[in-house]
């Protein structure tokens, strides 16, 4: 079993049967942050958790997880507890923020070990030898099994220690101890040689890591970070060989032509040049106020180009102690990338406004006529703009998520790093948008910089918020094709389309219900449309062998009277009011029209397999339903007469998972569950296909047409949102630009606002994302769990989610006007049901009346300002 603690508002504790991937129990952890959780090795079903001013002792019984709070009493002060470990006889040891060890017997604090550390105890590890603790004071303390002190190791006083060293993790095994520090270091200490700890891993720590360059001749790389350190790395030994601490955060670095000098661009607008051999200062210059984001020496080493966020590029003469000799001033935004021509006479720049500009060197005179630089050979290529790198941008996209590129001119390949944490490899040049590429995962945050090594045998990449430097081995074509026997780790995914920006490399972090839904397979060994042919074959076989005359069927018959159930476990937006106030929804292969006053149902029985989607016409007199099938059909039918008006098929496979009518009701949009989730726009009255496009490799949950513009629609699904435009016989899209406002999340619901440009989407995290097509403006926390449904009102919105809460919002989600936690106490006295409330899947409002669909296969409705009226239909969820 495995215990986990979430970072949600309730700090949820989950117990897993990890081999099967199943949750055994779950419970609210605490209102404040939980820092540690530990199983009691001597009591199978006992756990201990601790955090901000609390400690809790948990017992697991079946699928029930119940806590009891520790009682501090008068033995010790109420403290924030940072770590815990259990011992025999119901004893628990915990490390406190003030450096004391608290000893517990059962729920009660029995004694304290005062000043065990000089500051907070961040880590505690139990083993056969006893206990090890590590703290903010930089010390490791070893204790025996009865928690009596054995020895103390002060890493700050060690050879490679330093003031401010803080230990965040410890591990003790036999005579070896591992210690991880806050500054991204790992020490290994031999108990017998405790004065000589071995530093086995180092890295950058606070802030972001942007600065990266490689030595022009040696297998060395240099990095600089917001932690104010500059570090020189050996690419052969994979080790740090030199470190220099600066007074300011470092955002860019550049080696000189011979590698003897190193230029550092600072966050305060200054730059410093160091001698590499001893890291001593050559010169320090401050001509700008904004961050120096890019620096490049000329190919002959004569000049240094320095680009700042002031939008200027300054040119300095190296031989004249970096005297300023030129200035490039045509950019209207911050400088992002610089490249020199091979002859050193031209400099190209990229800026934040998306402009690619050229200047004559060294004076910095702008080159207006682009024909003058056509065919120019470049000493390096780090530009993200230009025809040579058009292919790094997805089709139909104006995205700005590529942070860095570097070309290997010898092998004709280009490596890129972007905001989604992906490293990509393209052919170079790549001239057409949406070029094929291979992509590689590893960074947990935006990739800020990329560089080829001087021998072009490896690639270096830096992660902004993960502070990590990655070294990738370059595998030439003969290795990838199997010509050479080299062990290739499977850590990449091939891509053949623009959609692979989100398809392969990011492992979805999904809500359990969403995960279950995405794994549903609608393939059939035999589809319903095959039955007629199978029966015919069976008859032919019987005629060949001869058979007895069949007896006539009975004179009696059956008529469907009532269906209990509602398909909510894998569907959404499938519950509406009709023009006459009846409720229309679907279950199994039946379209249901329900009269709540008479508690009676009428049925549309035109389908022959499971219905997966439903949409209502703007006039609320017609419904469209889509089903499962090899060639799945979409039926448009009259909700009063139950007569089929149109049958649409021939363009989807497996099933139709989403439908929506256009605002004028003339067109219908459908989404298939085929591999590409194809999107089709229909003139449904004529039965003609107007346009089609590949949707998205991952599942699409909702399609929504614009309420005012007939040529616009939006789709949402796994880790994506796309804004579509219908033009002629085609559909074009723009992918939602999350930028730094919010993380790319799975979107479960979407609707348009009253403004033409605003779109609102509900995420699996419980947030509502507000878009001004296609840019994300802001996010609002709405629910504790996925926002399964969202509906636009005349003034505001209504949302519902897995947390069983319905919420009314104003027209910009600035304020929640009213909250309905649907519990048994909110039902009217005469209503039926067992009080189960979990997972709102759909909602529809009409003149103040609300109709709710739930994932557990039931529906209810009620007035928004009073009692919930009760269950309309109840049924089973998925499974048997």
């Amino acid at each position: 079993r495995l215990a986990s603690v979430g970072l949600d508002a309730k700090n949820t504790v989950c117990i897993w049967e990890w081999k099967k991937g199943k949750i055994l129990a779950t419970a609210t952890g605490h209102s404040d942050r939980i820092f540690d959780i530990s199983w009691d090795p001597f009591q199978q079903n006992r756990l201990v958790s601790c955090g901000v001013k609390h400690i809790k002792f948990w017992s697991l019984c079946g699928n029930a997880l119940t806590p009891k709070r520790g009682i501090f009493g008068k033995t010790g002060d109420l403290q924030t507890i940072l770590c815990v470990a259990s011992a025999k006889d119901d004893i628990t040891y915990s490390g406190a923020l003030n450096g004391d060890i608290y000893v517990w017997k059962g729920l009660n604090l029995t004694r304290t070990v005062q000043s065990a550390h000089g500051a907070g105890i961040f880590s505690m590890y139990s083993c056969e030898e006893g206990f090890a603790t590590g703290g903010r004071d930089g010390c490791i303390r070893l204790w025996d099994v009865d928690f009596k002190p054995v020895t103390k190791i002060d890493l700050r006083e060690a050879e490679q220690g330093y003031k401010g060293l803080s230990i965040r993790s410890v591990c003790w095994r036999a005579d070896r101890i591992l210690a991880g520090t806050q500054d991204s270091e790992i020490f290994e200490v031999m108990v017998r040689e405790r004065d000589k700890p071995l530093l086995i891993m180092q890295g950058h720590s606070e802030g972001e890591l942007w600065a990266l360059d490689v030595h022009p001749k040696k297998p060395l790389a240099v990095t600089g970070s917001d932690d104010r350190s500059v570090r020189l790395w050996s690419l052969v030994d994979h080790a740090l060989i030199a470190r220099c601490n600066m007074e300011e955060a470092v955002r860019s670095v550049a080696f000189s032509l011979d590698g003897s000098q190193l230029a550092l661009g600072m966050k305060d607008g200054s730059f410093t040049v160091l001698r590499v051999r001893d890291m001593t200062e050559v010169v320090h210059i401050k001509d700008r106020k904004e961050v120096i984001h890019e620096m490049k020496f000329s190919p002959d080493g004569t000049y240094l180009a320095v680009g700042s966020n002031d939008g200027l590029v300054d040119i300095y003469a190296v031989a004249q102690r970096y005297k300023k000799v030129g200035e490039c001033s045509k950019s209207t935004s911050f400088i992002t990338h610089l490249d020199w021509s091979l002859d050193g006479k031209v400099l190209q720049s990229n800026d934040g406004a998306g402009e690619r500009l050229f200047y004559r060197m060294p004076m910095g005179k702008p080159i207006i006529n682009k024909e003058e630089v056509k065919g120019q050979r470049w000493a390096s290529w780090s530009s993200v703009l230009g025809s040579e790198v058009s292919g790094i941008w997805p089709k139909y996209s104006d995205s700005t998520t590529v942070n860095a590129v570097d070309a290997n001119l010898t092998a004709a390949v280009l490596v890129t790093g972007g905001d989604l944490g992906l490293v990509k490899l393209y052919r170079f040049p790549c001239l057409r948008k949406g070029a094929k590429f291979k992509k590689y995962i590893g960074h947990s945050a935006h990739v800020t910089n990329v560089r080829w090594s001087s021998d072009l045998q490896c690639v270096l990449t830096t992660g902004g918020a993960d502070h990590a430097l990655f070294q990738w081995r370059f595998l030439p074509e003969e290795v990838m094709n199997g010509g050479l026997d080299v062990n290739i780790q499977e850590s990449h995914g091939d891509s053949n389309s623009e959609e692979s920006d989100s398809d392969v490399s990011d492992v979805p972090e999904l809500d359990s219900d969403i995960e279950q839904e995405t794994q549903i397979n609608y393939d059939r060994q035999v589809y319903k449309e095959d039955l007629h042919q199978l029966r015919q074959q069976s008859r032919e076989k019987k005629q060949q062998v001869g058979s007895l005359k069949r007896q006539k069927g009975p004179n009696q018959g059956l008529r469907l009277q009532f269906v209990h159930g509602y398909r909510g476990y894998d569907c959404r937006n499938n519950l509406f009011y009709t023009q006459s106030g009846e409720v229309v929804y679907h279950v199994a292969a039946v379209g249901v029209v329900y009269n709540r006053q008479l508690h009676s149902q009428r049925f549309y029985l035109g389908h022959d397999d499971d219905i997966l989607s439903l949409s209502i016409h703007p006039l609320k007199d017609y419904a469209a339903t889509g089903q499962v099938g090899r060639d799945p059909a979409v039926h448009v039918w009259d909700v009063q007469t139950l007569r089929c008006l149109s049958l649409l098929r021939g363009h989807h496979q497996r099933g139709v998972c989403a439908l929506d009518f256009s605002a004028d009701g003339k067109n219908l949009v459908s989404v298939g569950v085929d591999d590409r989730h194809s999107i089709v726009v229909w003139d449904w009255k004529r039965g003609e296909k107007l346009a089609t496009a590949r949707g998205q490799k991952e599942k699409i949950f909702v399609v929504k047409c614009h309420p005012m513009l007939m040529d616009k629609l939006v789709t949402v699904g796994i880790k994506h949102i796309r804004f579509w435009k219908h033009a002629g016989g085609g559909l074009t899209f723009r992918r939602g630009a999350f930028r730094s406002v919010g993380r790319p999340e799975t979107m479960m619901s979407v609707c348009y606002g009253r403004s033409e440009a605003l779109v609102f989407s509900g995420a699996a995290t419980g947030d509502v994302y507000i878009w001004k097509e296609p840019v994300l403006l802001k996010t609002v926390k709405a629910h504790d769990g996925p926002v399964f449904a969202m509906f636009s009102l005349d003034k505001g919105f209504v949302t519902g989610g897995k947390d069983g809460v319905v919420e009314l919002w104003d027209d910009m989600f600035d304020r929640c006007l009213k909250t309905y936690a649907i519990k048994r106490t909110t039902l009217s006295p005469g209503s039926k049901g067992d009080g189960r409330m979990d997972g709102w899947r759909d909602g529809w409002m009409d003149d103040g009346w609300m109709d709710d669909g739930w994932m557990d296969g039931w529906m209810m409705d009620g007035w928004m300002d009073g009692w919930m009226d009760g269950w309309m239909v109840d049924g089973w969820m998925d499974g048997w």
Side-chain angles (χ1 to χ4, degrees):
R1 296 172 299 179
L2 179 71
S4 64
V5 178
L7 283 173
D8 53 282
K10 298 178 181 179
N11 295 284
T12 306
V13 177
C14 292
I15 307 299
W16 303 80
E17 187 176 353
W18 58 268
K19 286 187 178 180
K20 295 182 178 179
K22 292 183 178 181
I23 291 181
L24 299 177
T26 183
T28 297
H30 194 71
S31 57
D32 275 317
R33 178 81 182 268
I34 295 176
F35 293 122
D36 196 11
I37 190 167
S38 175
W39 288 96
D40 187 333
F42 304 99
Q43 298 184 54
Q44 186 177 7
N45 294 316
R46 183 174 182 266
L47 304 92
V48 186
S49 67
C50 65
V52 177
K53 302 230 171 164
H54 80 279
I55 185 170
K56 287 186 178 180
F57 300 89
W58 301 80
S59 60
L60 176 65
C61 182
N63 64 349
L65 188 61
T66 54
K68 291 183 179 180
R69 295 192 65 157
I71 302 170
F72 287 81
K74 297 181 179 180
T75 308
D77 295 333
L78 179 63
Q79 283 281 328
T80 291
I81 307 297
L82 300 173
C83 54
V84 291
S86 296
K88 294 180 180 180
D89 302 323
D90 214 17
I91 298 294
T92 302
Y93 300 101
S94 63
L97 185 61
N98 65 353
D100 293 348
I101 299 286
Y102 281 26
V103 185
W104 306 80
K105 175 73 173 180
L107 304 178
N108 298 298
L109 179 61
T110 58
R111 66 184 178 96
T112 64
V113 180
Q114 295 187 350
S115 300
H117 285 265
I121 303 172
F122 285 122
S123 180
M124 182 179 294
Y125 184 81
S126 62
C127 57
E128 292 181 0
E129 291 81 2
F131 299 87
T133 57
R136 191 174 180 181
D137 57 359
C139 294
I140 302 169
R141 295 203 65 176
L142 304 183
W143 313 79
D144 65 14
V145 292
D146 297 319
F147 228 90
K148 294 178 181 178
V150 175
T151 190
K152 178 180 178 180
I153 304 168
D154 191 346
L155 290 184
R156 292 185 180 183
E157 301 299 325
E159 182 179 345
Q160 292 178 302
Y162 53 91
K163 183 180 179 181
L165 186 150
S166 176
I167 296 174
R168 301 300 295 246
S169 182
V170 290
C171 180
W172 182 13
R173 181 179 179 183
D175 62 341
R176 296 173 183 263
I177 304 164
L178 289 174
T181 75
Q182 185 172 333
D183 290 334
S184 305
E185 299 147 331
I186 300 176
F187 288 88
E188 186 177 41
V189 184
M190 303 293 290
V191 177
R192 295 179 182 177
E193 299 179 356
R194 65 196 68 174
D195 297 331
K196 298 179 181 180
L198 178 64
L199 188 56
I200 61 177
M201 190 59 61
Q202 297 179 76
H204 290 279
S205 52
E206 65 183 84
E208 292 199 348
L209 172 60
W210 282 83
L212 171 68
D213 200 14
V214 294
H215 195 283
K217 299 177 180 179
K218 299 178 181 178
L220 301 174
V222 64
T223 55
S225 165
D226 288 352
D227 65 6
R228 302 184 181 186
S229 71
V230 179
R231 303 178 187 231
L232 191 64
W233 307 87
S234 168
L235 304 184
V236 176
D237 300 327
H238 307 302
L240 180 70
I241 57 177
R243 169 178 172 166
C244 179
N245 292 326
M246 310 303 295
E247 293 184 358
E248 294 291 336
V250 182
R251 277 298 176 99
S252 56
V253 293
F255 274 108
S256 62
L257 176 65
D258 59 1
S260 64
Q261 294 187 351
L262 183 65
L264 312 175
M266 306 301 185
K267 204 171 182 179
D268 67 347
S270 66
F271 74 91
T272 300
V273 180
L274 303 177
R275 295 182 186 87
V276 174
R277 68 173 182 268
D278 54 8
M279 290 294 186
T280 57
E281 184 178 297
V282 176
V283 67
H284 178 79
I285 297 172
K286 190 177 191 307
D287 287 334
R288 299 297 165 205
K289 296 180 180 180
E290 298 290 334
V291 57
I292 305 299
H293 188 74
E294 177 73 318
M295 312 175 78
K296 283 275 175 66
F297 282 91
S298 62
D300 59 1
T302 304
Y303 301 106
L304 172 66
V306 179
S308 75
N309 277 18
D310 292 316
L312 301 169
V313 181
D314 297 312
I315 310 300
Y316 297 89
V318 174
Q320 301 177 46
R321 283 190 60 80
Y322 294 90
K323 177 183 176 182
K324 183 178 175 181
V325 295
E327 181 179 293
C328 309
S329 57
K330 201 165 182 277
S331 285
T332 60
S333 185
F334 55 91
I335 305 301
T336 59
H337 303 90
L338 297 172
D339 288 296
W340 290 84
S341 62
L342 198 57
D343 58 11
K345 295 181 179 180
V346 177
L347 182 77
Q348 73 167 336
S349 71
N350 294 172
D351 62 29
E355 287 188 293
R356 180 191 182 198
L357 301 174
F358 303 91
Y359 301 93
R360 296 193 187 282
M361 292 292 103
M363 300 302 292
K365 182 180 178 181
I367 299 176
I368 306 300
N369 185 2
K370 300 294 177 66
E371 291 296 321
E372 295 184 35
V373 295
K374 194 172 183 180
Q376 183 70 255
R377 298 176 64 194
W378 300 96
S380 64
W381 189 281
S382 62
S383 172
V384 299
L385 303 172
S387 60
E388 296 88 339
V389 290
S390 293
I392 69 175
W393 303 105
K395 290 180 181 178
Y396 322 119
S397 171
D398 58 355
S399 174
T400 57
T401 58
V402 180
N403 293 319
V405 307
D406 196 22
N408 180 336
L409 303 178
T410 303
V413 289
L414 181 82
V415 64
T416 72
D419 281 348
L420 297 179
L422 301 175
V423 176
K424 298 181 182 179
L425 192 66
Y426 295 85
R427 296 184 186 275
F428 182 78
C430 47
L431 306 177
R432 296 182 59 184
K433 275 198 170 186
K436 296 179 182 180
F437 58 84
K438 292 178 180 176
K439 61 184 176 183
Y440 303 84
I441 59 175
H443 285 289
S444 62
H446 49 296
V447 180
T448 53
N449 218 331
V450 296
R451 285 289 186 274
W452 288 92
S453 61
S454 57
D455 61 2
L456 303 178
Q457 297 302 304
C458 66
V459 171
L460 287 305
T461 62
T462 55
D466 61 27
H467 314 133
L469 172 66
F470 280 35
Q471 180 176 339
W472 309 80
R473 180 183 175 188
F474 177 54
L475 301 174
E477 187 175 358
E478 59 268 21
V479 175
M480 296 300 293
N481 292 337
L484 299 177
D485 185 16
V486 178
N487 182 25
I488 304 175
Q489 184 177 356
E490 295 293 339
S491 62
H492 75 276
D494 292 334
S495 166
N496 292 314
S497 77
E498 76 284 353
E499 295 174 353
S500 51
D501 278 323
S502 61
D503 289 346
V504 180
S505 296
D506 50 343
V507 180
E509 300 170 3
L510 298 180
D511 174 88
S512 58
D513 294 320
I514 304 171
E515 180 71 46
Q516 182 179 358
E517 183 174 335
T518 59
Q519 293 176 359
I520 295 175
N521 186 356
Y522 297 104
D523 286 329
R524 306 276 199 267
Q525 288 185 341
V526 178
Y527 288 89
K528 292 287 183 68
E529 56 255 51
D530 300 330
L531 294 180
H532 177 74
Q533 183 179 356
L534 292 174
R535 291 193 190 104
Q536 185 63 32
Q537 293 173 354
S538 177
R539 290 193 193 103
E540 292 174 357
K541 288 182 179 179
K542 288 181 178 180
Q543 288 175 359
Q544 291 172 1
V545 300
S547 62
L548 295 173
K549 187 176 180 180
R550 294 179 63 187
Q551 186 178 3
K552 288 184 179 181
N555 294 326
Q556 299 89 342
L558 299 175
R559 176 179 295 170
L560 186 60
Q561 184 178 11
F562 205 94
V563 178
H564 293 273
Y566 157 73
R567 185 150 184 162
Y569 69 90
D570 65 340
C571 301
R572 57 189 48 74
N573 298 330
N574 59 346
L575 176 63
F576 302 94
Y577 281 109
T578 68
Q579 196 175 60
S580 61
E582 294 178 300
V583 179
V584 60
Y585 61 97
H586 65 85
V587 59
V590 180
V592 181
V593 181
Y594 173 76
N595 187 307
R596 58 181 309 277
Q597 281 77 25
L598 301 176
H599 190 54
S600 63
Q601 296 175 334
R602 296 182 293 117
F603 310 101
Y604 177 76
L605 300 172
H607 289 278
D608 58 10
D609 208 332
D610 283 340
I611 300 174
L612 295 181
S613 53
L614 183 148
S615 181
I616 194 80
H617 191 274
L619 297 179
K620 305 179 187 177
D621 52 357
Y622 303 145
T625 44
Q627 70 168 68
V628 171
R630 177 178 283 107
D631 180 14
V634 175
H635 294 232
V636 181
W637 45 280
D638 190 312
V639 297
Q640 291 299 320
T641 65
L642 303 176
R643 183 171 60 90
C644 183
L645 305 176
S646 183
L647 187 63
L648 312 173
R649 65 194 322 160
H651 293 284
H652 291 299
Q653 297 175 7
R654 300 195 192 107
V656 178
C657 62
L659 292 165
D660 198 38
F661 282 95
S662 61
D664 60 4
K666 294 180 180 179
N667 296 340
L668 179 68
V669 182
S670 60
V671 179
V673 293
D674 50 277
D675 291 339
R676 288 293 177 180
H677 293 90
S678 54
I679 301 173
V680 179
V681 181
W682 306 84
D683 181 336
W684 64 268
K685 287 187 177 179
R686 296 183 179 179
E688 293 178 0
K689 179 196 73 171
L690 300 179
T692 185
R694 292 188 301 179
Q696 168 81 10
K697 187 174 181 182
E698 298 288 355
K699 185 162 184 178
I700 293 176
F701 292 124
V702 180
V703 60
K704 193 71 178 175
C705 292
H706 199 288
M708 291 167 277
L709 304 176
M710 303 305 115
D711 60 345
K712 286 195 171 184
L713 56 127
V714 61
T715 59
V716 296
I718 301 293
K719 302 274 185 176
H720 84 281
I721 179 170
R722 287 186 174 182
F723 302 91
W724 299 82
K725 184 172 178 135
H726 178 199
L731 285 166
T732 60
F733 75 89
R734 288 194 290 177
R735 184 181 286 112
F738 292 82
R739 302 184 189 272
S740 59
V741 180
R743 290 183 56 190
E745 294 288 352
T746 293
M747 298 295 164
M748 307 301 302
S749 56
V750 68
C751 66
Y752 283 91
R754 293 305 167 189
S755 166
E756 289 186 4
L758 290 182
V759 176
F760 302 81
S761 62
T765 57
D767 292 341
V768 171
Y769 282 51
I770 302 176
W771 308 81
K772 186 171 183 180
E773 183 177 344
V775 177
L776 178 61
L777 300 180
K778 67 175 183 177
T779 65
V780 177
K781 185 64 177 178
H783 290 269
D784 291 328
V787 184
F788 278 135
M790 181 184 300
F791 182 69
S792 176
L793 309 175
D794 291 336
K795 292 183 180 180
F797 300 84
V798 60
T799 62
K802 187 183 177 181
D803 56 4
V805 176
V806 180
E807 295 175 343
L808 286 178
W809 296 83
D810 64 11
D811 56 0
M812 277 298 293
F813 278 88
D814 291 326
R815 192 161 59 96
C816 182
L817 305 177
K818 207 161 187 180
T819 298
Y820 300 88
I822 314 298
K823 301 177 181 177
R824 188 177 181 88
T825 55
T826 66
L827 299 177
S828 58
S831 67
K832 303 175 181 179
D834 59 3
R836 294 173 295 126
M837 299 289 170
D838 188 18
W840 201 62
R841 300 294 285 207
D842 194 14
W844 183 263
M845 288 192 67
D846 191 6
D847 296 329
W849 194 264
M850 181 175 67
D851 201 350
D852 301 333
W854 299 77
M855 64 178 296
D856 284 342
W858 48 271
M859 302 185 305
M860 64 179 296
D861 63 349
W863 294 99
M864 294 303 292
D865 58 352
W867 286 95
M868 291 295 165
D869 197 62
W871 267 264
M872 292 191 296
V873 175
D874 200 347
W876 296 101
M877 193 181 163
D878 56 334
W880 289 97

